[in-house]
Amino acid sequence: MTSLGGRNRVRYSGIEYPLINRESAILQVLEAFESSFVFDERGIPQTPRPHVCYAPQMYGSGKSAFGENFRRFLSINKERILRYVDTMKKFPGFAKGENVGERALHALLNETLYVVLSLLDVPDGNRFQTTLLEWISEKALSQLPNGADLLSQVLSCIGNPKEWLQKLLQVTKKRYLYLFIDEIGSLEEYEFTLFKDLMVTQGASRVHNVYRAFFRVLSIVVSQPFVICIVAGRSDCIISREEDAMPSRIALNFLRLDPFSEATVKYFIQNATCHNEPILKVLFPSHSEGHDWFFKQVYDYTGGVPYYVVHVLNELGKACERWNSLCDLSEDEMKVKMERIAPTTSLVVTLSRMTPESMIVFSSMLLASIFEFRIPKREILFGGLGSYPEYVLDIANHFGFYYMSCSRNEQDEASRILVEDNYETFFKLVFPKIVLKHIQSRYWNIPPFRFICSLFSSISRLDSLSSRGFKFEIIFTLILYVRWCFCSKLGELSIFRHSFVEHISIESTETIDSLKVDPIPNYVPAFSSTMSGIHSGNEETYNVNAWKPFFEKYLSKDGIFIPIRQNSNGPDVLIRVTDMKDNSFLAIQGESSSDQTPMDTETTKKRVYLMGIALKCFQLSSSGVGRSMIKAEVAKFLHPVASQLELVQNDLTAIQLIVSNKYIEEVSRQFRNNQNWILNSGVYYEDNNNNIVYSSINSEIQPQNIREEWLWIPPHCQVVVCSTTSLRTFLGCKASEDLERVFGENAGWLEQLKPLYDLLSNSFVDLLRRIPFEESERNSGRMERRNTRPRMDMNVMQVEDTRGESTISVASSVQVSFDWMNFLKVYCHLTEEESTQCYECLCKFSERDMGVIDSNILEQMGIDDSLLQFKVVAGMRTYIKDRQST
């Protein structure tokens, strides 16, 4: 990693750090400057069309640091600039000839007037063009000893922009003007409404746009030879700003300023100081060279965003200065300490109110970040959040995402590919965990969002590989988790039907806001038969002989667990669940029997079920799951679990769940009536006709005509092979079809994210309508999203409506006897204040209206809080389910 040298350092509070090189951004700016001019055969520019670099990234990306230190970046990249100019054999302001590179570099370093402006500090005035020219002049001449005299000479030409710039360069003896304008988002503030030339409306739409007016004024300045210009400032309209520049002569070039890589973060920390002491010596006096796990922790927590890297180091440094006991923390202790550091709230985009639609988009983009989807710069997202198209990067900035340039796919080496004669840039989204931890509590009660936040906060970038297996594991577990939260027993989920756990009650999860009992996914080390891939000194890697300590340490409580390494030699998903009733259901030990009878337990101890789920879905290279794969999965999970956990003595039952969307014929023929194939404790043989023959585990008589033993299932164990019909019912028809496309070869970004968007849309919006009603859909297999939301005219609802065809009865003459207050407190778990607020909106409805009331209706009736809407609708679905069961 290249530093800018000892004197090229920046100080923030007590932290002094090296200014990290931005070579690619420097070359982008020079390329844009060179593109501003068309050269004749002598190298003389003709009819300039100024290309201005535009940096709209989120706060803390390093925009200001880059613009303010542009000359220092030029200096460090001398050799690279020489090669670039010599390759082009031309540069604005120089005729073609020898040594054009050396002459251009000398002019950039020694014959360039550097001016930096921030629109936060714009001077007063009534015409922005005049104010801008005066402002540039004052900034350029303020440091010169005779600056006042020179300023009067320059301002005398201000009426003619071309003569003004020539005079400015003449009196300063410079060839180029470098102009960096920061904080252009301030254009929307009141101060800029006082400039008459920024209030002019042009174009057919007649809608005022201050940015278009700004670029018209700026084009007057940058059209003159020779101006190198960069504008910067966070914007929700990245692509739209480029379109806003089109009415002027300006062409905007998107300036890529990626977050730091992990290697850069390591270099950055190694060269940072705290009050003139190396920061690593302050944090780790006994290991002043630092730890690799610490560099990884900082990168993982900050996303490599420059500001947050500095912020975390500063907070840790201050803490060590106050309490020396915080020095030399272990990896786990440092992780806890670091994750208590909150971001600077002034830099965090906080949405005052997140609608279900915007939450779906936000969550979809978080998944896109985890899966490292590669997004074309000008990609449009699903028609946008409203009725008009919106670009992905515009929405990314709106929600506070950062982004880094990347190749189109993992095989491409170049960061840009040729698309219809234009180079298209691809990006990957980055959302710092430090920010997510700060904002997630507001929406923690919503299961899909809670799952994604928990996933996002637990899996590091090295774990978030882009393979199909990893993606499907996450998608499957998301669906499982959300539906688990809305079920009363596991049998409502098709993948568990006819297994030991079908009748297990999970009543506790009906209380959505009861965080203590919710099965929030936990992330555990993966099982591996080797010790490779260890990322830290104390990281544990488990093999098949370590199930007992693993169970005691990680699986001591009920929940859903995901191994965080891809090289797992065990299940893809683990579940521990305790039977909530006083009796357990054990399968009859018959041949693949699915009939179950209750058996009284000998003790009052609750039976614990440990499930290992092996996901073998959407593997394009596989012909399907066969008997050999089932045998291998049982050997990885059931056999070591049964031998180490003493199932009988500890009231444990282990279940191996095999889930696939494709089986070979020798397995698929075992699915009777498209139901799951249940294999109970015993010995299974393959006979001479390749059929499966069952024998009791204690039987002394071996079946006849046996070719070989196929599978041995220990006592208190069960294998459930999930049928394709059960999986399709669990996922839903539409989701199943979409996932086929997600995992297709060379799937594009929208082909990948659109199904996830639909899935989350179902989970957020329609899930409450169909869960736990999956039972009624089992036979048809229809689980696709249904457009059942009633359409309502609020103008009609405001009057007494006694017509029989009314969707909802709101007539004031109807006596409503339903106790809404009691319902809101008991079923929706609302406080007294929340119940009173909602009662005022619901009191005119009858009990039978619950079936059609949804969040949109609640919002129209005056319940604006999205969390309150969610609780009320969830309570209604629970109430309806209870009424149907009685």
Side-chain angles (χ1 to χ4, degrees):
M1 179 57 56
T2 306
S3 169
L4 291 183
R7 64 185 180 83
N8 291 306
R9 299 174 66 83
V10 179
R11 180 174 291 276
Y12 171 80
S13 188
I15 300 293
E16 189 178 68
Y17 57 91
L19 197 61
I20 299 299
N21 190 15
R22 294 284 194 177
E23 177 185 313
S24 61
I26 282 288
L27 295 179
Q28 278 185 262
V29 175
L30 296 183
E31 181 181 352
F33 178 51
E34 190 272 334
S35 299
S36 298
F37 303 93
V38 178
F39 294 85
D40 62 16
E41 64 280 359
R42 298 168 298 169
I44 305 300
Q46 305 291 321
T47 316
R49 176 176 177 81
H51 285 239
V52 172
C53 283
Y54 175 43
Q57 290 86 348
M58 274 293 298
Y59 312 120
S61 298
K63 304 184 295 293
S64 300
F66 175 76
E68 294 169 3
N69 294 280
F70 187 80
R71 188 181 184 280
R72 295 158 74 178
F73 286 118
L74 288 174
S75 180
I76 192 63
N77 290 288
K78 289 179 182 178
E79 295 182 3
R80 184 67 183 89
I81 295 171
L82 277 175
R83 290 197 302 271
Y84 168 77
V85 178
D86 285 339
T87 300
M88 302 300 295
K89 299 185 182 302
K90 58 183 178 180
F91 199 76
F94 292 96
K96 289 184 178 180
E98 295 182 359
N99 300 324
V100 63
E102 291 183 4
R103 290 185 291 157
L105 179 60
H106 181 272
L108 289 170
L109 293 175
N110 303 293
E111 300 176 25
T112 300
L113 192 60
Y114 288 90
V115 175
V116 176
L117 307 177
S118 171
L119 294 187
L120 291 174
D121 306 317
V122 63
D124 295 333
N126 56 17
R127 290 189 72 252
F128 185 69
Q129 177 180 329
T130 302
T131 300
L132 180 62
L133 300 187
E134 292 176 349
W135 196 9
I136 294 172
S137 304
E138 292 171 359
K139 282 279 188 176
L141 301 172
S142 60
Q143 301 300 318
L144 298 180
N146 57 342
D149 294 336
L150 297 178
L151 179 61
S152 62
Q153 297 180 39
V154 172
L155 294 182
S156 65
C157 304
I158 205 168
N160 186 318
K162 182 177 182 179
E163 294 181 6
W164 163 81
L165 181 58
Q166 291 176 345
K167 191 66 173 180
L168 180 63
L169 295 176
Q170 176 189 342
V171 300
T172 54
K173 300 179 181 179
K174 302 295 183 183
R175 184 186 295 264
Y176 301 132
L177 169 64
Y178 167 80
L179 179 61
F180 176 64
I181 301 179
D182 204 357
E183 302 291 352
I184 69 164
S186 302
L187 286 169
E188 299 180 23
E189 300 299 328
Y190 168 76
E191 288 80 0
F192 290 89
T193 64
L194 304 178
F195 295 107
K196 296 178 180 179
D197 48 348
L198 295 185
M199 292 296 102
V200 176
T201 300
Q202 293 185 357
S205 66
R206 309 305 299 170
V207 176
H208 177 255
N209 186 321
V210 69
Y211 290 95
R212 292 189 175 187
F214 167 78
F215 286 121
R216 284 197 300 271
V217 173
L218 183 63
S219 66
I220 297 172
V221 178
V222 297
S223 296
Q224 314 304 324
F226 295 99
V227 180
I228 303 170
C229 184
I230 303 173
V231 294
R234 179 187 172 270
S235 171
D236 289 350
C237 302
I238 299 171
I239 310 299
S240 299
R241 293 291 170 263
E242 295 186 19
E243 295 172 351
D244 290 339
M246 290 179 182
S248 70
R249 301 181 64 188
I250 289 177
L252 284 184
N253 291 43
F254 180 70
L255 183 63
R256 298 191 301 275
L257 290 171
D258 295 341
F260 294 158
S261 66
E262 186 173 350
T264 303
V265 169
K266 180 177 180 178
Y267 170 85
F268 188 90
I269 297 173
Q270 288 174 330
N271 290 273
T273 62
C274 180
H275 298 300
N276 300 319
E277 282 282 348
I279 187 70
L280 288 174
K281 188 174 181 180
V282 174
L283 298 177
F284 305 104
S286 302
H287 300 83
S288 56
E289 71 283 359
H291 299 280
D292 283 343
W293 55 257
F294 176 68
F295 307 133
K296 184 177 184 299
Q297 279 186 356
V298 175
Y299 171 73
D300 189 45
Y301 191 53
T302 63
V305 175
Y307 176 83
Y308 288 123
V309 174
V310 176
H311 176 64
V312 165
L313 293 179
N314 187 58
E315 292 299 308
L316 291 175
K318 289 193 297 186
C320 284
E321 287 182 331
R322 290 194 298 265
W323 301 288
N324 291 330
S325 60
L326 291 176
C327 299
D328 281 326
L329 297 180
S330 68
E331 180 176 357
D332 291 338
E333 292 170 335
M334 179 60 77
K335 179 177 174 64
V336 172
K337 180 64 181 176
M338 189 179 300
E339 292 189 352
R340 289 176 181 167
I341 299 175
T344 301
T345 55
S346 61
L347 297 186
V348 177
V349 173
T350 55
L351 303 179
S352 58
R353 181 168 169 272
M354 184 90 81
T355 65
E357 289 77 15
S358 61
M359 191 176 294
I360 292 167
V361 176
F362 178 61
S363 300
S364 299
M365 298 183 85
L366 281 177
L367 279 177
S369 173
I370 294 171
F371 292 157
E372 297 185 350
F373 287 164
R374 294 155 192 267
I375 305 168
K377 174 188 169 188
R378 300 189 70 85
E379 186 68 82
I380 294 176
L381 182 65
F382 320 143
L385 296 177
S387 59
Y388 55 91
E390 293 191 53
Y391 292 96
V392 173
L393 292 190
D394 288 350
I395 300 174
N397 261 29
H398 173 75
F399 285 123
F401 282 85
Y402 297 78
Y403 31 84
M404 59 188 304
S405 55
C406 63
S407 60
R408 183 178 191 178
N409 53 56
E410 294 179 357
Q411 288 72 38
D412 290 338
E413 293 183 359
S415 62
R416 294 182 296 177
I417 62 168
L418 193 62
V419 179
E420 297 179 356
D421 299 327
N422 290 309
Y423 283 100
E424 183 166 13
T425 306
F426 285 77
F427 295 91
K428 291 188 291 188
L429 298 177
V430 176
F431 199 88
K433 291 180 183 178
I434 185 175
V435 180
L436 189 64
K437 287 181 71 69
H438 177 72
I439 67 173
Q440 67 185 15
S441 59
R442 176 172 174 80
Y443 308 103
W444 193 249
N445 283 354
I446 301 178
F449 186 77
R450 181 164 68 247
F451 174 90
I452 294 171
C453 287
S454 178
L455 171 75
F456 197 90
S457 298
S458 301
I459 291 185
S460 68
R461 295 191 178 281
L462 291 182
D463 302 317
S464 58
L465 304 180
S466 57
S467 71
R468 297 187 195 92
F470 176 83
K471 292 175 184 176
F472 183 78
E473 177 183 322
I474 297 306
I475 296 169
F476 177 90
T477 313
L478 168 61
I479 299 173
L480 172 64
Y481 173 67
V482 172
R483 296 186 181 177
W484 183 300
C485 291
F486 289 92
C487 288
S488 60
K489 61 181 180 180
L490 286 178
E492 294 175 14
L493 302 177
S494 58
I495 58 173
F496 295 118
R497 290 190 184 123
H498 310 298
S499 69
F500 281 161
V501 298
E502 178 176 15
H503 297 284
I504 289 182
S505 172
I506 48 175
E507 296 170 355
S508 60
T509 58
E510 290 185 10
T511 304
I512 299 172
D513 55 355
S514 182
L515 301 182
K516 292 183 179 179
V517 296
D518 235 6
I520 297 177
N522 296 291
Y523 302 89
V524 297
F527 283 75
S528 177
S529 57
T530 66
M531 295 298 289
S532 62
I534 296 179
H535 291 278
S536 61
N538 68 347
E539 183 176 327
E540 297 158 291
T541 304
Y542 292 87
N543 56 45
V544 293
N545 297 317
W547 269 100
K548 185 174 182 179
F550 179 89
F551 180 84
E552 293 172 348
K553 181 173 183 179
Y554 293 104
L555 308 181
S556 59
K557 296 181 180 179
D558 288 358
I560 300 173
F561 303 84
I562 302 178
I564 60 174
R565 297 276 181 261
Q566 261 199 310
N567 62 347
S568 175
N569 196 37
D572 298 306
V573 182
L574 284 162
I575 297 174
R576 174 190 161 127
V577 59
T578 303
D579 194 345
M580 304 296 293
K581 297 181 179 179
D582 290 334
N583 60 339
S584 299
F585 284 82
L586 294 177
I588 295 175
Q589 301 302 304
E591 179 181 348
S592 302
S593 172
S594 62
D595 299 324
Q596 298 181 0
T597 57
M599 186 182 84
D600 294 334
T601 56
E602 297 180 356
T603 67
T604 58
K605 191 174 183 180
K606 304 294 184 182
R607 179 167 291 278
V608 173
Y609 293 85
L610 179 63
M611 291 171 271
I613 304 178
L615 301 173
K616 304 295 179 182
C617 300
F618 302 100
Q619 297 179 348
L620 300 183
S621 60
S622 172
S623 59
V625 170
R627 293 175 187 170
S628 59
M629 188 174 292
I630 294 174
K631 184 176 182 177
E633 291 300 327
V634 170
K636 289 192 295 186
F637 176 68
L638 278 190
H639 289 172
V641 163
S643 65
Q644 296 175 46
L645 297 186
E646 301 173 334
L647 303 179
V648 178
Q649 292 87 336
N650 293 292
D651 289 306
L652 290 172
T653 298
I655 300 175
Q656 175 79 67
L657 183 62
I658 311 292
V659 180
S660 178
N661 66 316
K662 188 189 301 183
Y663 297 96
I664 61 177
E665 195 274 337
E666 65 181 13
V667 174
S668 61
R669 70 188 183 198
Q670 302 293 332
F671 297 125
R672 299 175 182 176
N673 300 320
N674 294 322
Q675 295 180 351
N676 295 342
W677 182 21
I678 308 297
L679 297 160
N680 295 308
S681 175
V683 183
Y684 294 82
Y685 299 90
E686 292 178 342
D687 66 12
N688 294 329
N689 296 320
N690 203 32
N691 295 318
I692 298 298
V693 179
Y694 169 80
S695 177
S696 173
I697 200 168
N698 297 318
S699 175
E700 298 179 357
I701 303 175
Q702 189 176 30
Q704 300 297 315
N705 301 320
I706 296 305
R707 186 173 73 238
E708 62 180 350
E709 178 183 316
W710 168 55
L711 191 64
W712 175 74
I713 302 178
H716 283 255
C717 293
Q718 187 181 71
V719 174
V720 179
V721 184
C722 181
S723 70
T724 53
T725 300
S726 292
L727 176 62
R728 191 173 181 85
T729 303
F730 172 74
L731 295 175
C733 287
K734 187 177 187 303
S736 297
E737 295 168 358
D738 287 340
L739 289 175
E740 292 279 3
R741 290 189 288 272
V742 171
F743 300 107
E745 292 289 357
N746 300 318
W749 182 75
L750 284 184
E751 287 80 9
Q752 291 177 319
L753 189 59
K754 184 62 164 67
L756 301 185
Y757 176 88
D758 290 340
L759 170 65
L760 287 166
S761 181
N762 288 340
S763 298
F764 279 107
V765 181
D766 292 332
L767 184 62
L768 292 173
R769 287 191 181 83
R770 71 185 189 198
I771 297 297
F773 302 125
E774 188 182 356
E775 182 72 29
S776 64
E777 309 245 3
R778 176 172 52 178
N779 295 330
S780 65
R782 290 173 59 83
M783 287 292 293
E784 61 267 32
R785 185 179 179 185
R786 294 165 293 175
N787 296 320
T788 58
R789 183 179 296 120
R791 296 184 179 182
M792 305 187 65
D793 187 343
M794 291 305 297
N795 293 325
V796 175
M797 291 188 65
Q798 291 173 356
V799 300
E800 293 185 3
D801 191 346
T802 57
R803 293 175 296 176
E805 65 270 23
S806 298
T807 304
I808 292 181
S809 53
V810 293
S812 61
S813 59
V814 177
Q815 182 65 34
V816 179
S817 60
F818 183 67
D819 189 350
W820 281 105
M821 284 296 288
N822 183 64
F823 162 81
L824 291 169
K825 293 177 181 179
V826 174
Y827 281 89
C828 305
H829 310 284
L830 302 187
T831 63
E832 184 71 25
E833 181 179 355
E834 291 172 335
S835 298
T836 302
Q837 176 189 347
C838 294
Y839 175 81
E840 295 174 354
C841 300
L842 294 172
C843 61
K844 293 184 179 181
F845 294 101
S846 67
E847 179 184 357
R848 67 176 181 270
D849 295 328
M850 285 190 184
V852 292
I853 294 176
D854 65 359
S855 57
N856 284 343
I857 296 174
L858 294 177
E859 182 176 4
Q860 291 171 350
M861 295 303 295
I863 302 176
D864 295 326
D865 190 292
S866 58
L867 291 181
L868 213 53
Q869 296 170 9
F870 194 91
K871 289 182 179 182
V872 171
V873 175
M876 290 179 177
R877 300 304 175 254
T878 303
Y879 179 86
I880 292 172
K881 182 189 66 176
D882 288 352
R883 296 282 291 180
Q884 291 174 340
S885 62
T886 57

